[in-house]
Amino acid sequence: MMTHSRQWYWRALLVLVAGLLISCGPQASTLPDFTELAERNQASVVNISTVQKASRQEDVRQQIPEFFRHFFDGLEDHFTIPERDRESQGSGFVIEKDGYILTNYHVVHGADEIMVRLQDRRELSAELVGADKQSDLALLKVDANDLVPVNIGSSEDLKVGEWVLAIGAPFGFESTVTAGIVSAVGRSLPNENYVPFIQTDVAINPGNSGGPLINLKGEVVGINSQIISRSGGFMGLSFAIPVDMAMDVVKQLKETGMVKRGWLGVMIQGIDRDLAASFGLDKATGALVANVMADAPGEKAGLKAGDIILRVDGKEVQRSSQLPQMIGRLAPGTKTKLEVMRDGKKRTLTVTVGAAPGEDEV
């Protein structure tokens, strides 16, 4: 029989061994420390406020019962008041030290005045260099040459489950930092043809729009743009524009003030399991061509209704919603190869993409 001291010794040893096993196991992984990331990037994030001037005056006589209105004829000047200017707020971040700032299109759309507030409390008037509604991006310029730019990374390397950080001004609270993980990549949202969104569970609220999404290397990988919410506030579904696409847009905005996208001139639809089987496909992938516009690049390349576009320059079209994004990133005049399925056989077509004339066609 073990003595009391020996029982105590073995129990203590077992507790120690168990503790070591737990500390060496997967449970030992700790949350990342975001302190350095926040300190390094907060100086690059700005608060953007806009003012849209009133365009008309409000006639307060409309609030008076109709029977009495004729008593005030000729006194219009005494019963009109200016409509109030509209103000809004958002976020943005410095991409070049000489004053270039990136934000969302919807943050500055319709603004007559744009003010940028830096972390050092300076307030600078901003000029709109160019804006692109389709990608929800806008490029601003302020008169400064000592700004702190962010470190631009690549969204192509993002993986689901990866930690990311957001900095912005939700509800006007400047330099607010929130963190979460990448929930999905390449998300297509309704009425958004050209953006393969990064989905995260980072807390994003009104005022965060235009702020950066940052990986653990301290690199900007996205621009926070949208939330899906029934309440108007954060519900775990946040969407960011991939930075690789954003920088393509920035380049065009700097050069011409506008963005031109590639265009095939076809109408497409998705492929479900039944359609895939009927066309002899192993899986539901690709984009089914429903219609080809006359004299469009697609028709000139030989595309026909009923073709299934499987690859663009060797890259698989996994979902039909990816095709507008893939073609849209090509500059007009670019030659690209399309792998299509027609009559049960694969073939390759070479197409010279045109310039997109509207929002609904690919």
Side-chain angles (χ1 to χ4, degrees), residues 69-354:
R69 287 180 194 169
H70 70 279
F71 290 108
F72 301 95
D73 289 343
L75 300 174
E76 287 83 356
D77 292 342
H78 298 281
F79 289 92
T80 56
I81 58 174
E83 189 181 71
R84 292 182 178 179
D85 295 345
R86 297 184 204 170
E87 299 182 1
S88 64
Q89 287 194 335
S91 302
F93 56 94
V94 178
I95 58 173
E96 295 181 21
K97 71 175 184 178
D98 57 350
Y100 283 100
I101 292 169
L102 187 59
T103 186
N104 283 146
Y105 167 88
H106 74 262
V107 170
V108 298
H109 173 57
D112 295 302
E113 297 177 5
I114 305 173
M115 294 297 298
V116 170
R117 188 174 187 178
L118 308 177
Q119 193 188 37
D120 61 13
R121 318 314 289 175
R122 278 184 291 170
E123 292 190 2
L124 305 173
S125 177
E127 170 196 356
L128 180 62
V129 176
D132 180 45
K133 180 180 179 181
Q134 298 299 315
S135 61
D136 193 25
L137 292 169
L139 183 64
L140 308 180
K141 179 71 167 64
V142 297
D143 186 12
N145 56 15
D146 60 347
L147 304 186
V148 181
V150 296
N151 185 15
I152 301 294
S154 174
S155 45
E156 296 290 339
D157 301 326
L158 272 181
K159 298 185 182 301
V160 174
E162 182 175 340
W163 281 100
V164 283
L165 182 81
I167 306 177
F171 302 109
F173 293 101
E174 300 176 14
S175 300
T176 296
V177 179
T178 51
I181 62 168
V182 175
S183 305
V185 294
R187 282 286 196 226
S188 296
L189 300 182
N191 303 318
E192 301 286 353
N193 287 338
Y194 296 109
V195 181
F197 284 98
I198 303 164
Q199 180 185 334
T200 77
D201 68 352
V202 179
I204 301 295
N205 284 292
N208 270 114
S209 292
L213 187 71
I214 302 166
N215 64 15
L216 289 182
K217 297 177 183 178
E219 302 167 333
V220 172
V221 293
I223 297 88
N224 298 310
S225 176
Q226 297 190 34
I227 59 173
I228 290 181
S229 171
R230 294 178 179 174
S231 65
F234 172 69
M235 293 184 69
L237 289 170
S238 307
F239 297 90
I241 302 161
V243 75
D244 292 328
M245 174 187 175
M247 297 314 292
D248 288 343
V249 170
V250 165
K251 181 180 178 182
Q252 292 194 58
L253 291 179
K254 285 184 69 175
E255 292 176 352
T256 66
M258 59 184 296
V259 177
K260 292 184 178 180
R261 291 183 171 82
W263 176 67
L264 288 181
V266 301
M267 304 296 291
I268 58 172
Q269 69 180 67
I271 301 287
D272 59 21
R273 185 173 58 183
D274 294 334
L275 272 176
S278 68
F279 282 101
L281 294 173
D282 296 331
K283 56 183 179 179
T285 187
L288 174 62
V289 177
N291 185 43
V292 182
M293 299 177 63
D295 296 324
E299 185 188 59
K300 293 176 181 178
L303 275 173
K304 296 181 179 180
D307 286 348
I308 298 176
I309 301 175
L310 299 174
R311 293 179 181 273
V312 177
D313 275 338
K315 295 182 179 179
E316 184 180 8
V317 182
Q318 296 180 339
R319 298 177 298 276
S320 61
S321 59
Q322 291 179 315
L323 185 62
Q325 300 163 7
M326 298 169 80
I327 298 298
R329 289 193 66 176
L330 299 175
T334 302
K335 288 187 177 182
T336 187
K337 293 186 181 299
L338 305 179
E339 182 182 299
V340 302
M341 173 77 80
R342 181 186 298 171
D343 299 328
K345 297 180 181 179
K346 294 181 180 179
R347 62 183 66 195
T348 300
L349 303 177
T350 300
V351 58
T352 301
V353 299

